[in-house]
Amino acid sequence: VPCRVRHICTSSAAMVGGKRQLLTPSLRLCFLPCRIFVLGIGFFTLCFLMTSLGGQFSAKRLGDSPFTIRTEVMGALESRGVLRRMSDMLELLMKRMDILARLENGTDFHKGDEARFPLDRLQPAAGLMERIQAIAQNVSDIAIKVDQILRNSLMNAKSELGDGRRDQCEVPRDPKYPDCAGKVEWMRARWTSDPCYAFFGVDGTECSFLIYLSEVEWFCPPLPWRNQTAAPSAPFPQAAFRNDLAPLLDLVGTGKESLSFMKKRIRHLAQQWLRATQRLEQKLKGQQGDQKHILIHIGFLTEESGDVFSPRVLKGGPLGEMVQWADILAALFLLGHSLKVTVSLKELQSNLGVPPGRGNCPLTNPLPFDLIYTDYHGLQQMKQHMGLSFKKYRCRVRVIDTFGTEPAYNHEEYATLRGFRTNWGYWNLQPSQFMTMFPHTPDNSFMGFVSEELNQTERQRIKSNKVGSMAVVYGKEASIWKGKEKFLAILNKYMEIHGTVYYETQRPPEVPAFVKNHGLLPQHEFQQLLRKAKLFIGFGFPYEGPAPLEAIANGCVFLQARFNPPHSSLNHEFFRGKPTSREVSSQHPYAEDFIGKPHVWTVDYNNSEEFEAAIKTILRTQVDPYLPYEYTCEGMLERIHAYIQHQDFCTMPSPPPPAKAQSPAMQSPPSPLALSPNATHLVWSPNAHRDPQAWPPADSLQVWLSEGRHSCTETCRLHGLVCEPTFFRFLNKKEVFLQLSITCDSTEYEMNHLYPAVAENVHECYLQKEPLLFSCAGHNTKYRRLCPCRDYREGQVALCRDCL
């Protein structure tokens, strides 16, 4: 019936004077069934298309790779034919609708009949026509693409099935891959537990398991019938110092108060950074080294970690971490490296190439970054989402760790067995991969930050404008002032006291009325306040922040409390759970140990007489602004440059095997160490071979025997040296005990962070079995430890004298 209607309708037009004329409007109503019929055909075709394609590709998942061949592929000709027929039907449909459209567009009938046939009743039909046209085009495109896919699949299938390989995938028995069989068994049972396996082409067949385990993971040997082509590695371009920080500000991003703070700091110190870059460039004489691709992921600023810092930036919250991160960004950028900055988990996943799923699979491609700077939060996020790739690439990670992580806490098995397990340790990294704010833990690398430098004119202006009776209290939170009334009353007898405590509507009750509280100040206004003050006084908290160094750099004397007994994770809540046993003897140990008097005074606040005497002496003392070189922009640039060019934790030198593991016929190589002229310690022998690639250079080594109550950190410091954990591998030999005239009735290899050491009372010697446990930290009255020490550059403790 619709065909007859269509015939009558299309024949209703007459030729008059050589032109087609339409009949009366009433006859034009017969076009409506035609439209309904055409739209019905389109809808029927669409349904048929979805059904046919659904049947053909229901088992084909989005993540299937080209090597995955299913039974549907064997019906490729039928699938291709269905797509072609669908495309032809829709093309014919569009041709017929095009005829109707031209027929309708050539008339004027609708002008007088809009009232009877409103346009809004016709528009849906026109919209559906457009959609059918789009479907036709898409089906045509799909047909072409599927045709190509099926053609390639059939070629692969013929090649592989022709050799009989797809039906003969057996688990290889290769002693080099002992875990292969077990991993295949696991895949058989659990390959559907994470969508990432299907993403990599695993489809439940034995061959797909072996392909995945040999090419994506590395538990099975490569299959001989698979193409194994390794992409050539491109040489590193040379790093070139930059002279403009503006592009870095765009890299940092927006949207958080913490990021705004960091960008303000970078802008404020820009000229200081640029001058330091020029000086270092002249010092290096064009030997900048390779340019690295560096990912900087600030994990504690991500929403997933809670980002507790951003909301507190404007309310007196701790800023030390953001100060350090801002300076790290500036230094890495000016050194000429290629940076990518992320502060969200989504950005991290995108930049790493994390496959979809639950994080069990490795990355989709080789890691595009040579180095990754992150923190403990970011480290946890990376491990969660990188799968096995985390273990492969963790040697490229550098962890910004304010308080440090000692080896005893870093080694997972040892920490669990010996009670050192905390929420922040157990990562099994090389201890030098952790980078601290201050050089308090030689086991870790000292990253640091910068303080503002003064030129000679500014230094003279500060000295002339100092108010000799003005003191500023260290502490922006009201809780720091609680219980300090006694100290404040003594201080108030001699000096005018100023504070920078945050408050919203009224004066904090913890701040006495005689204190002039400025509220929370912007950084530049806080600097101006320090430039007027004589004294900067701390009340024990916060620990080890940047403010005392800023005060000393602006000509203040820093007065702080001595802790007796020292604070540590054993006796103080703040340190409990942190991966270090370090004993903190004062609020700012670096200021106490590396700067000292007259700039830094450390006294017992429980002794009122000592406290008051210190204030009187400080009033009579004149000091100049002072800033250690390692906290200048040039010092930080120099230090980071040395780390990037020399620290390589992916190709660490292997320690010599234990003596008992050597065959009797093997001779132990002669010791590279020799007794010093005064016979007190060992030094690097002038005749010993020195690896020119080793860093720090081995000829800076000195070996000292500790006292029972001293760690190696303390032992080296007593001799004007610094402990260097990378040198432990030269000490971990029985011959070293003999060279120091130590009697060893027995020598044992054990896992202990205090070894190598000797128990003198019983003549027992102990060597280290686990290199990750070589540690400068720790002591026990039972042992005297063998300690590797080195020299260091004045004002740059992280580098030896020949370590640029």
Side-chain angles (χ1 to χ4, degrees), residues 498-775:
H498 293 251
T500 57
V501 183
Y502 170 78
Y503 62 94
E504 291 182 350
T505 57
Q506 60 184 359
R507 184 186 190 89
E510 294 86 355
V511 180
F514 55 77
V515 174
K516 184 177 181 180
N517 186 28
H518 299 264
L520 194 63
L521 293 178
Q523 185 66 17
H524 69 281
E525 293 184 23
F526 180 64
Q527 293 277 352
Q528 294 302 319
L529 188 65
L530 292 177
R531 292 183 179 187
K532 292 181 181 179
K534 172 75 173 182
L535 176 67
F536 189 63
I537 180 172
F539 287 140
F541 189 84
Y543 298 99
E544 299 178 306
L549 287 189
E550 294 176 352
I552 296 168
N554 283 285
C556 293
V557 174
F558 178 51
L559 176 63
Q560 64 171 345
R562 179 185 297 114
F563 300 145
N564 189 16
H567 293 180
S568 70
S569 58
L570 301 177
N571 61 10
H572 202 275
E573 187 62 32
F574 178 83
F575 292 101
R576 190 163 291 120
K578 291 182 170 56
T580 175
S581 298
R582 184 166 61 96
E583 296 180 335
V584 179
S585 58
S586 62
Q587 182 175 354
H588 207 289
Y590 176 84
E592 178 185 6
D593 297 332
F594 287 87
I595 301 178
K597 293 180 180 179
H599 301 279
V600 179
W601 290 68
T602 305
V603 301
D604 183 3
Y605 278 24
N606 293 321
N607 187 328
S608 301
E609 294 180 357
E610 183 182 354
F611 178 78
E612 189 168 0
I615 293 174
K616 292 178 181 179
T617 306
I618 290 171
L619 285 171
R620 299 190 301 267
T621 303
Q622 297 295 324
V623 296
D624 293 330
Y626 173 72
L627 180 62
Y629 174 76
E630 54 201 354
Y631 284 97
T632 65
C633 289
E634 183 180 348
M636 186 170 185
L637 285 168
E638 180 183 78
R639 187 167 59 251
I640 294 182
H641 166 76
Y643 288 155
I644 290 176
Q645 299 305 323
H646 297 293
Q647 284 186 336
D648 184 359
F649 301 110
C650 299
T651 56
M652 291 286 290
S654 57
K660 63 181 180 181
Q662 299 175 351
S663 64
M666 292 180 61
Q667 289 283 342
S668 178
S671 172
L673 304 175
L675 198 63
S676 65
N678 58 5
T680 57
H681 60 284
L682 300 180
V683 296
W684 190 263
S685 173
N687 300 322
H689 170 72
R690 183 171 71 88
D691 183 0
Q693 302 300 321
W695 193 87
D699 53 9
S700 63
L701 168 65
Q702 297 182 28
V703 182
W704 289 85
L705 190 65
S706 77
E707 298 297 330
R709 63 184 183 276
H710 288 160
S711 67
C712 283
T713 301
E714 297 166 319
T715 299
C716 294
R717 186 179 299 164
L718 289 173
H719 298 287
L721 303 168
V722 62
C723 183
E724 178 52 63
T726 60
F727 289 157
F728 269 112
R729 59 194 176 100
F730 300 120
L731 280 61
N732 202 41
K733 302 176 182 178
K734 183 176 180 179
E735 306 91 83
V736 177
F737 292 112
L738 299 176
Q739 287 181 287
L740 288 170
S741 301
I742 297 174
T743 302
C744 297
D745 292 342
S746 64
T747 304
E748 298 292 336
Y749 279 84
E750 294 183 9
M751 272 201 325
N752 192 309
H753 69 286
L754 301 179
Y755 296 166
V758 56
E760 287 189 315
N761 56 338
V762 291
H763 303 291
E764 294 177 350
C765 297
Y766 300 92
L767 298 176
Q768 182 60 257
K769 183 179 179 180
E770 172 52 71
L772 282 181
L773 287 174
F774 284 138
S775 176

Side-chain angles (χ1 to χ4, degrees), residues 150-170:
L150 294 176
R151 191 182 303 275
N152 293 335
S153 300
L154 283 172
M155 292 177 63
N156 292 338
K158 289 177 181 179
S159 173
E160 294 175 359
L161 292 173
D163 295 336
R165 289 167 179 161
R166 296 297 299 185
D167 296 330
Q168 298 179 8
C169 286
E170 297 181 358

Side-chain angles (χ1 to χ4, degrees), residues 46-81:
L46 180 62
C47 294
F48 181 66
L49 174 68
M50 298 293 290
T51 305
S52 300
L53 293 182
Q56 292 292 332
F57 300 105
S58 59
K60 187 72 174 175
R61 287 182 295 275
L62 182 62
D64 288 339
S65 63
F67 64 72
T68 304
I69 300 177
R70 305 178 186 278
T71 55
E72 287 79 18
V73 175
M74 300 308 296
L77 295 176
E78 292 84 352
S79 300
R80 189 184 301 115

